[in-house]
């Protein structure tokens, strides 16, 4: 997962008026090192090994603050709880309907198939998200034995 280094992240926390704490750094590192798009519960399990007194509520609040500050992205598959992503640059997601894994796809991967922008109807687009759903290579029905 493409995450920023500690110094960049600390400067972004301060820029957004957020106090730099060991717990916040641990939450961000757990997200970056997960290799996936973890839920708050999964991050709680990992961070709880180091900070046993940290609550799940603190994890949720911290992730929401990070999201509001633009430090992490929130991926909301329709059938699951929110999952988090340290990669905040433009990209799409693919969600497997069988194993619920979430994969990053480059933003320019499907430029030819972009939907029309609603700005022509008076809307102001701030962020565009595309979520593909289907079967990942491991779960494709035609690959099952």
């Amino acid at each position: 997962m493409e995450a920023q280094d500690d110094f960049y992240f600390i400067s972004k926390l301060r820029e957004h008026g957020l106090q730099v704490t060991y717990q916040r750094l641990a939450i961000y590192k757990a997200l970056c090192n997960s290799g996936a798009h973890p839920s708050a519960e999964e991050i709680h399990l990992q961070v709880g090994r180091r900070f046993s007194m940290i609550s799940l509520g603190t994890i949720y609040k911290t992730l929401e603050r990070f999201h509001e500050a633009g430090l992490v992205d929130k991926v909301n598959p329709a059938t699951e709880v929110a999952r988090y992503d340290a990669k905040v640059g433009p990209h799409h997601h693919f969600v497997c309907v069988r194993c619920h894994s979430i994969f990053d796809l480059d933003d320019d991967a499907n430029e030819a198939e972009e939907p029309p922008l609603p700005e022509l109807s008076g809307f102001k687009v701030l962020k565009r998200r595309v979520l593909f759903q289907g079967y990942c290579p491991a779960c494709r029905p035609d690959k099952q034995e």
Side-chain angles (χ1 to χ4, degrees):
M1 186 169 291
E2 291 178 25
Q4 304 297 332
D5 63 29
D6 287 350
F7 294 114
Y8 176 83
F9 183 69
I10 289 168
S11 71
K12 284 297 184 182
L13 284 175
R14 290 182 176 144
E15 182 180 307
H16 291 282
L18 297 172
Q19 186 178 11
V20 178
T21 66
Y22 290 114
Q23 291 86 355
R24 285 186 175 158
L25 291 173
I27 291 167
Y28 186 70
K29 284 183 179 185
L31 173 60
C32 294
N33 295 332
S34 72
H37 297 77
S39 66
E41 291 83 2
E42 292 166 329
I43 293 171
H44 180 249
L45 287 174
Q46 187 174 349
V47 173
R49 292 183 193 123
R50 183 167 175 207
F51 299 99
S52 60
M53 299 302 289
I54 196 165
S55 71
L56 181 57
T58 298
I59 301 291
Y60 272 110
K61 288 176 194 172
T62 301
L63 289 169
E64 280 304 309
R65 286 192 177 131
F66 288 174
H67 176 66
E68 290 166 4
L71 301 172
V72 302
D73 203 4
K74 189 189 298 189
V75 183
N76 289 322
T79 60
E80 256 190 77
V81 299
R83 309 264 291 275
Y84 295 88
D85 190 356
K87 183 178 177 182
V88 294
H91 66 286
H92 303 314
H93 290 103
F94 181 94
V95 179
C96 180
V97 297
R98 181 169 286 153
C99 69
H100 304 288
S101 294
I102 300 175
F103 302 89
D104 288 330
L105 303 174
D106 291 331
D107 189 38
D108 60 354
N110 292 293
E111 279 185 10
E113 299 176 23
E114 282 189 28
L117 293 175
E119 289 183 341
L120 300 174
S121 302
F123 295 95
K124 175 65 179 156
V125 176
L126 298 177
K127 191 171 193 176
R128 176 181 55 121
R129 292 180 186 224
V130 176
L131 179 69
F132 297 94
Q133 292 182 308
Y135 295 102
C136 71
C139 294
R140 283 181 47 185
D142 57 333
K143 298 284 183 175
Q144 301 296 313
E145 297 174 26

